[in-house]
């Protein structure tokens, strides 16, 4: 921004930024406090309070977190794999081929930006049910594999690949598939990385659709497991819930803290039109 | 040469016979999937798994798999969804009140068709009659009680002493409760309340709490056939008014809704001196309370009373005759006196059969911890939990009306009349 | 035999598009149409099969007080969350764009709520909002405030949801503004300095217009989220008290999977789709104009 600010304005801005940052981080910090201390200290901020791992042990016992982790991992992986394949092909078609009905098809793709499978729960549930995929991980991921967002992003990227490279490959006798594989995909690695991070974050945290599709621990991901874990009939024990919550968010959180720049860059890149 | 061949042949026959018998016994293993709502906070899964393991040891030809599906509402949704998607589900522990909905969805089989031997009939008669009320409809028996509860009043004995009340004499009537609560409500210098006298949860299952108040004033909220509600009877309106007055007139309860889930913690932290809650909380409160606490029956209005609550075993129609037999065996095992006793101790749910209280296990426990017998003793005043056709919808009409009044919306009479109209419109096609 | 180039282009184009097209049709386009049709029929129940009922579902919907409440809630919610989260996001982006000390920590703090699942943070916020023993009331009591039933009061329940949503999404939108800010060529700033223009003037006449495409993107996202993200309701209030904090999609879930009334749920979904489409079109046309004006 414009430099040459007076000193106190600068200081004020720094203060504001830090205050806001503290407010924003407070809930998570608080959850960490509650998770590592016994139940009595949930609202007492005694700096000498004993640390304990008991809450984590209890949380682990009460719900099958290992299974939930596994399910979530499989879910984001197969969803992303499906997205890579389907969106790459579709983006390639839009970027480099002229075919009948191309504009109409593109507009129909646009529709999904506004109307995602998430809001069409009633009908999509019936579809998945008739495919026999209720309570399966595939059933959770299937509606998302054709992602309008992914198609947009990749189409954008493919369009920016210089034609000369494609022509060079064709001269050597490569067909369209080979060109895709040898030229377009390798050159779009940054976009794939960006899209991958966005997709994984989104599907790791998705709740409503997995809630509807899964019935048992067989396919249940972390988010749904957390909601059950956090809402038992008789009452909630906040320190155990904090521990369970931290367990569930830790992979993504640690990944984020370690690879902050990549995460931020990915989201930034995916927003540039 | 021929002899060798013959021996080889014989050997083959013997092996094949073993293999086939082995396969046959494998094929004869019945696999049961059971959905259950681990509804109390605590390591209940271990107890259930332990009981299942014992059963499987005694019955090597039956394998039971328990599917933990959340709270009662979640489990109902999940079990029905699984049935509709034709996944294998043979039995389940579901809300006792879901019986009409399950009948309507044609999902369950009456026990009269499966439990036919004289031994079976004796077993059925061994349950507390008030618990069986929610199981009977259209002249048949649809559910077997497993984890049942009533509402009890937990109170902080230390707080009682502090306020000059006798900790061994909890309030026995509505008037006594309001008076005690007034003494127990503590305020600080600026007039802010630091401890409320009594709290009754009004989220989660508000209709259940309200049923208690209503029966204490002499009225039930629905008929036995599940197609008519009585929300706007004068005594029912009075009961809601009493609830509301505790907050507004007596000022011993906060205004607005009281959260079901966090109430236990509030009680444990001394933010409220008395709380109405499910007996299913007993084990957890006993473990975590840092003060002397007591448990008593709910106070009487015109009479004592509480709805029963909790889950029954149901067997699904989808199950094959063999699976149904196996399910019955399993259910009889889980509701045997000894296991019922163990289950009650582990969870705080009431034992569903008188003979469970005669076991050495439970006799000893009750002697050490008399609070455990309160809910049982309240059974003679207990009534069926709220159950009608289209239960989820009709319940919501009542829940919304209750929350509306408790948050200072309409008057008790207007809200309940409105709910009654809505219920009538929904249920009228079932009459 | 070689086909002419155009023909192969057509074939290849469609072949590549096909898998995605099939899935998208199955899970986006088909449900919209099927839902519309379903809203004209009744829900099959027990012994009674589904039958054509015309606009009956729509008239019961209009007469349903819960529907009216839920619709009103969602609009209030959107009206509150969208401007606040977008403005806050812009403010955060401006702050983080400067060379302030501890910049990457600040940025991480703003962005972290986005990485966490709403379900997880709702669990934490449930405790914040718990009266008397919860964090908000405990802090409030230090300042002499009385305890408040935040989630149990019809006046404040929806507001609590809004605060949570703003907290969650502001960091997410900040990133997009940040990207756009960093794409502004520094020469513009230098030129403005030379001309002696003030900060606000610069911001209003230069920065803001350049941010318009991003603003559109962020607004569209914020709008979709305010109708799509209902996870926190499951944990905090389940729509109560008395539907004061319920939103349209949550009500659809209750009707479809609590009451198993699929016809009514389809009817409600049609309303949701109409709202989303109208909002999308409005935002696109309004901001398109602003964008092209440069």
């Amino acid at each position: 921004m414009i430099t040459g600010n007076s000193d106190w304005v600068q200081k004020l801005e720094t203060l504001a930024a830090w205050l806001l940052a503290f407010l924003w981080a407070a809930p998570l910090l608080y959850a960490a406090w509650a998770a590592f201390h016994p139940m009595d200290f949930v609202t007492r901020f005694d700096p000498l309070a004993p640390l304990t791992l008991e809450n984590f042990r209890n949380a682990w016992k009460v719900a099958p977190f290992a299974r939930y982790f596994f399910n979530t991992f499989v879910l984001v992986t197969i969803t992303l794999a499906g997205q890579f394949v389907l969106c790459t092909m579709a983006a390639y078609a839009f970027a480099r081929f002229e075919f009948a009905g191309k504009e109409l098809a593109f507009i129909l793709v646009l529709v999904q930006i506004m109307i995602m499978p998430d809001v069409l729960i009633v009908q999509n549930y019936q579809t998945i049910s008739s495919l026999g995929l209720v309570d399966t991980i595939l059933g959770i991921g299937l509606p998302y594999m054709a992602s309008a967002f992914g198609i947009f992003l990749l189409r954008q990227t493919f369009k920016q690949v210089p034609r000369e490279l494609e022509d060079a490959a064709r001269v050597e006798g490569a067909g369209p598939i080979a060109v895709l594989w040898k030229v377009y995909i390798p050159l779009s690695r940054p976009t794939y990385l960006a899209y991958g991070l966005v997709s994984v974050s989104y599907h790791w945290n998705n709740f409503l659709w997995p809630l509807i599709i899964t019935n048992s621990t067989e396919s249940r991901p972390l988010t749904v497991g957390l909601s059950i874990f956090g809402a038992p009939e008789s009452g909630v024990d906040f320190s155990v819930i904090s521990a369970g919550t931290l367990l569930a968010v830790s992979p993504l959180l640690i990944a984020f803290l370690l690879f902050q720049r990549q995460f931020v860059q990915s989201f930034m890149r995916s927003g540039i039109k | 040469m021929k002899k060798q061949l013959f021996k080889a042949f014989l050997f083959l026959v013997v092996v094949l016979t073993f293999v086939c018998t082995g396969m046959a016994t494998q094929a004869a293993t019945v696999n049961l999937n059971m959905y259950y709502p681990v509804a109390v906070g605590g390591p209940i899964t271990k107890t259930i798994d332990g009981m299942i393991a014992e059963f499987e040891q005694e019955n090597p030809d039956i394998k039971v798999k328990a599917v933990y599906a959340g709270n009662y509402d979640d489990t109902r949704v999940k079990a029905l969804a699984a049935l509709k998607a034709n996944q294998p589900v043979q039995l389940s522990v579901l809300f006792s009140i879901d019986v009409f909905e399950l009948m309507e969805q044609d999902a369950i089989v009456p026990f009269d068709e499966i439990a036919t031997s004289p031994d079976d009939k004796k077993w059925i008669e061994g349950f507390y009659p008030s618990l069986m009320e929610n199981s009977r409809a259209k002249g048949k028996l649809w559910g077997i009680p497993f984890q049942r509860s009533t509402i009890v009043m937990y109170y902080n004995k230390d707080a009682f002493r502090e306020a000059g009340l006798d900790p061994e004499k909890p309030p026995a009537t509505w008037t006594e409760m309001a008076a005690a609560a007034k003494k127990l409500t503590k305020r600080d210098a600026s007039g802010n309340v630091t401890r409320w006298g009594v709290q009754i949860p009004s989220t989660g299952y508000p209709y259940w709490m309200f049923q208690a108040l209503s029966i204490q004033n002499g009225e039930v909220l629905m008929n036995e056939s599940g197609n008519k509600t009585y929300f706007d009877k004068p005594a029912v309106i009075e009961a809601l008014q009493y609830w509301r007055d505790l907050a507004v007139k007596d000022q011993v309860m906060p205004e607005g809704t009281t959260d079901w889930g966090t109430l236990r913690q509030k009680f444990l932290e001394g933010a409220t001196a008395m709380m109405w809650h499910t007996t299913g909380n007993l084990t957890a409160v006993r473990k975590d309370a840092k003060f002397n606490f007591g448990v008593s029956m709910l106070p009487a209005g015109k009479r004592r009373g509480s709805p029963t609550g909790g889950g029954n075993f149901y067997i699904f129609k989808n199950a094959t005759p063999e699976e149904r037999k196996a399910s019955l065996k399993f259910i009889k095992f889980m509701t045997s006196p000894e296991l019922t006793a163990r289950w009650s101790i582990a969870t705080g749910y009431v034992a569903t059969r008188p003979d469970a209280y005669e076991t050495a296990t439970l006799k000893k426990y009750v002697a050490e911890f008399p609070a455990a017998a309160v809910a049982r003793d309240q059974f003679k005043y207990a009534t069926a939990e709220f159950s009608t056709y289209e239960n989820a919808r009709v319940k919501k009409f009542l829940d919304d009306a209750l929350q509306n009044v408790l948050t200072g919306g309409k008057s008790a009479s207007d809200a309940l009349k409105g709910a009654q109209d809505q219920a009538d419109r929904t249920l009228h096609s079932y009459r | 035999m070689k086909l002419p180039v155009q023909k192969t282009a057509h074939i290849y184009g469609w072949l590549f598009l096909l898998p995605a097209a099939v899935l998208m049709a199955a899970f986006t386009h088909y449900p919209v149409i099927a839902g519309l049709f379903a809203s004209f029929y009744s829900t099959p129940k027990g012994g009674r099969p589904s039958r054509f009922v015309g606009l009956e579902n729509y008239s019961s919907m209009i007469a349903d007080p819960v529907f009216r409440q839920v619709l009103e809630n969602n609009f209030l919610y959107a009206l509150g969350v969208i401007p606040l989260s977008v403005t806050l996001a812009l403010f955060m982006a401006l702050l983080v764009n400067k060379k302030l000390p501890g910049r990457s920590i600040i940025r991480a703090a703003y962005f972290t709520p986005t990485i966490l699942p709403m379900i997880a943070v709702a669990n934490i916020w449930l405790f914040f909002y718990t009266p008397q023993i919860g964090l908000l009331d405990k802090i409030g009591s230090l300042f002499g405030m009385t305890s408040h039933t935040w989630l149990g009061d019809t006046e404040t329940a929806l507001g609590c949801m809004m605060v949570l949503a703003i907290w969650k999404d502001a960091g997410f939108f900040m990133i997009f503004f940040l990207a756009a800010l960093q794409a502004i060529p520094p020469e513009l700033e230098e030129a403005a300095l030379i001309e002696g223009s003030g900060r606000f003037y610069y911001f209003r006449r230069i920065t803001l217009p350049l941010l318009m495409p991003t603003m559109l993107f962020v607004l569209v996202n914020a709008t979709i989220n305010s109708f799509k993200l209902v996870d926190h309701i499951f944990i905090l209030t389940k729509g109560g008290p008395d539907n004061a904090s319920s939103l349209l999609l949550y009500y659809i879930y209750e009707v479809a999977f609590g009451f198993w009334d699929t016809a009514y749920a389809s009817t409600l979904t049609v309303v949701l789709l109409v709202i989303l489409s109208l909002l999308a079109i409005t935002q696109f046309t309004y901001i398109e104009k602003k964008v092209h004006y440069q």
Side-chain angles (χ1 to χ4, degrees), chain A residues 199-221:
Chain A
S199 168
V200 167
S201 306
Y202 182 82
H203 290 286
W204 189 281
N205 295 341
N206 200 15
F207 173 69
L208 185 58
W209 176 248
L211 172 71
I212 293 168
I213 288 293
T214 61
N215 294 333
S216 69
T217 46
E218 299 283 295
S219 59
R220 190 180 297 148

Side-chain angles (χ1 to χ4, degrees), chain B residues 153-157 167 267 291-296 371:
Chain B
M153 190 162 70
Y154 296 81
Y155 64 98
N156 186 333
K157 285 189 177 174
F267 178 69
F291 49 82
N292 292 313
F293 76 97
V295 176
S296 78

Side-chain angles (χ1 to χ4, degrees), chain C residues 27-46:
Chain C
F27 293 107
T28 305
H29 305 113
Y30 165 72
V32 171
I33 303 178
L36 186 60
F37 270 100
S39 69
F40 297 124
Y41 286 79
S42 68
T43 307
K45 260 192 248 224

Side-chain angles (χ1 to χ4, degrees), chain B residues 9-54:
Chain B
F9 178 67
L10 215 58
F11 181 67
L12 209 62
V13 168
V14 169
V15 168
L16 273 174
T17 320
F18 270 118
V19 170
C20 287
T21 337
M23 278 173 61
T25 19
Q26 286 286 57
T29 313
V30 180
N31 287 306
L32 298 178
N33 279 326
M34 171 182 77
Y35 272 70
Y36 77 101
V38 169
V40 269
I44 294 312
T45 10
K46 284 253 167 72
T47 315
I48 290 262
D49 289 340
M51 286 155 88
I52 292 181
E54 271 183 53

Side-chain angles (χ1 to χ4, degrees), chain B residues 418-429:
Chain B
Q420 178 66 26
D421 284 339
Q422 290 178 303
D424 277 335
R425 260 179 282 143
T426 305
L427 291 174
H428 119 110
S429 51

Side-chain angles (χ1 to χ4, degrees), chain A residues 71-120:
Chain A
N71 290 341
T72 309
F73 184 72
V74 172
L75 172 65
V76 298
T77 308
I78 65 171
T79 308
L80 189 59
Q83 285 173 329
F84 274 170
V85 172
L86 264 54
C87 297
T88 303
M89 298 203 307
Y92 188 44
F94 279 121
R96 284 296 186 243
F97 292 89
E98 289 306 318
F99 50 92
K102 183 175 172 180
E103 269 92 53
L104 181 60
F106 195 62
I107 293 181
L108 286 177
V109 168
L110 258 175
V111 168
Q112 206 214 34
I113 299 274
M114 211 46 183
I115 297 177
M116 300 187 185
D118 300 350
V119 303
L120 299 165

Side-chain angles (χ1 to χ4, degrees), chain A residues 16-53:
Chain A
W18 272 95
L19 210 59
L20 202 57
F22 178 69
L23 269 176
W24 246 240
L28 195 59
L29 293 173
Y30 179 66
W33 169 271
F36 283 102
H37 293 99
M39 205 178 77
D40 315 322
F41 294 94
V42 147
T43 46
R44 282 159 46 202
F45 295 111
D46 184 352
L48 297 174
L51 288 171
T52 172
L53 287 178

Side-chain angles (χ1 to χ4, degrees), chain B residues 220-268:
Chain B
V220 291
L221 291 178
M222 79 280 170
N223 67 356
E224 268 176 23
S225 324
N227 55 20
K228 188 154 171 55
T229 56
Y230 302 117
F231 299 150
D232 54 355
K233 287 216 161 143
V236 175
I237 298 179
E238 246 179 55
L240 183 50
Q241 195 58 50
Y242 174 71
W243 194 354
R244 176 77 180 137
D245 283 344
L246 285 170
V248 171
K249 245 179 52 187
D250 305 309
Q251 304 200 325
V252 297
M253 195 184 264
E255 287 202 46
T257 54
T258 296
D259 185 61
W260 179 281
T262 49
L263 183 55
R264 180 178 78 203
Q265 183 117 11
K266 290 186 72 173
F267 178 69
L268 291 172

